[in-house]
Amino acid sequence: LPAPSVKANRGAADVLEGQLFAFAVGSGVAVIEVHGSQLSTVLQGAHKGAAVTAVKWCPDCHSHDIKSSSHLRLASGDSDGGVVVWNVPSSSVIASLDDSFSVRDHVKDKRGDAVGAVQALEWVKCQPQL
């Protein structure tokens, strides 16, 4: 695994069709094939050291796509407000959204601690234009 789990990783996990389990590990994401308990892949490097705080499988994906080249997608969000969309079979980044304003540098909670971590992710389907 890329790193040990950290407190910020707590709850950052998602299961696809009971077959693939993705969970945050430090600043990366591990994907396990549930039947057989095998590590399928580790997605790392795109969160630039920020802890992964949210993970969500694309609802159009299916677990049998683990062997295909582009159909299995996963989104992960981090403690710095960044979001990455991964091509899981190739362990490559499809897209990323970085917080150029750096929310963590400007927004503080009542105790003065920086805030701005991605708490949850949801995929939204766009309707085709008529």
Side-chain angles (χ1 to χ4, degrees), residues 103-126:
V103 170
R104 294 185 62 77
D105 292 338
H106 301 284
V107 180
K108 308 287 182 190
D109 65 11
K110 291 179 183 178
R111 293 186 312 257
D113 295 327
V115 297
V118 174
Q119 298 297 315
L121 294 165
E122 192 64 44
W123 291 82
V124 178
K125 291 185 181 185
C126 295

Side-chain angles (χ1 to χ4, degrees), residues 11-82:
D14 197 19
V15 177
L16 180 64
E17 299 176 335
Q19 302 292 317
L20 296 173
F21 177 58
F23 62 99
V25 182
S27 62
V29 179
V31 177
I32 303 249
E33 293 182 45
V34 174
H35 300 292
S37 300
Q38 282 187 310
L39 179 65
S40 177
T41 190
V42 177
L43 309 170
Q44 58 186 347
H47 287 287
K48 302 172 187 147
V52 172
T53 54
V55 174
K56 187 73 172 179
W57 287 105
C58 175
D60 292 335
C61 296
H62 303 284
S63 57
H64 61 78
D65 292 333
I66 190 66
K67 306 299 182 203
S68 75
S69 61
S70 65
H71 292 87
L72 195 57
R73 294 177 305 279
L74 179 80
S76 56
D78 66 38
S79 58
D80 285 342

